[in-house]
Amino acid sequence: MDSDNDNQQQPAIMIRSQYIKDMSLEVPFAPEIFKEMGTQPQVHVDMGMKSDVQEDGSHVVTYNTKMDADINGKKLFILELAYCTNVDLNVPDEQKEPILMIEIPRLMFPFVRNIVAESLTSAGLPPLMLSPIDFTAMYQAKKAQETEKNKA
């Protein structure tokens, strides 16, 4: 077989593995804070994606999430998660960045949401379901910001 036929038979996206690279969950005022659970907490969520090329040509996409919540002026919890996917791409170079920053995070999101919900529940807190994210808009905003930065 020639290499053209090999390229046609390989999937465009091949997930090698998914894993938690780093995770931290703190409930600094436990158990006293649980008495205040009748009040709706103020939740803050920050997230970001990055992609690194490995020596073997695969890519590792890291989905970083940092969440915290305050209740009555006290920190309810602090959660930090770095969730990674190792992926092989068989696509033209100009398609790689959008796939790595939009499609792969879209595939990762249900796993991240589940880890967050289960971790908070295991810590004695109500589960927090992350709302769906528009990764396309997030990617476009980042690209626009980079373009603006390059103009300055």
Side-chain angles (χ1 to χ4, degrees):
M1 276 189 183
D2 62 45
S3 63
D4 285 342
N5 287 339
D6 289 343
N7 286 341
Q8 291 174 357
Q9 293 176 356
Q10 293 177 3
I13 300 172
M14 178 69 168
I15 304 290
R16 287 186 178 190
S17 61
Q18 295 188 99
Y19 53 94
I20 295 172
K21 183 172 185 173
D22 188 24
M23 184 172 176
S24 170
L25 174 60
E26 298 174 50
V27 184
F29 292 102
E32 296 83 17
I33 196 76
F34 296 129
K35 295 174 188 169
E36 301 183 38
M37 294 298 293
T39 304
Q40 184 69 23
Q42 296 275 2
V43 180
H44 310 96
V45 180
D46 291 316
M47 68 185 68
M49 265 42 88
K50 74 174 195 162
S51 173
D52 297 305
V53 179
Q54 304 302 293
E55 287 181 16
D56 64 1
S58 69
H59 298 265
V60 173
V61 177
T62 304
Y63 186 133
N64 290 300
T65 302
K66 181 175 182 186
M67 301 174 60
D68 62 64
D70 297 310
I71 195 164
N72 296 329
K74 294 179 191 166
K75 192 61 66 186
L76 176 59
F77 71 84
I78 303 165
L79 185 144
E80 295 178 4
L81 172 64
Y83 189 75
C84 298
T85 297
N86 186 297
V87 61
D88 289 324
L89 296 179
N90 186 28
V91 298
D93 285 345
E94 65 272 7
Q95 294 177 10
K96 287 183 179 179
E97 185 180 49
I99 289 172
L100 292 168
M101 294 294 107
I102 299 169
E103 295 307 321
I104 301 304
R106 190 175 289 148
L107 294 171
M108 297 167 77
F109 180 75
F111 297 96
V112 170
R113 180 167 52 185
N114 187 55
I115 291 166
V116 167
E118 285 188 13
S119 297
L120 293 176
T121 302
S122 294
L125 301 166
L128 176 73
M129 294 304 283
L130 293 172
S131 298
I133 297 164
D134 185 345
F135 291 104
T136 301
M138 209 166 125
Y139 173 73
Q140 290 170 341
K142 182 180 177 192
K143 293 304 279 182
Q145 189 176 44
E146 288 173 3
T147 301
E148 198 62 35
K149 189 176 179 180
N150 290 338
K151 286 181 183 178

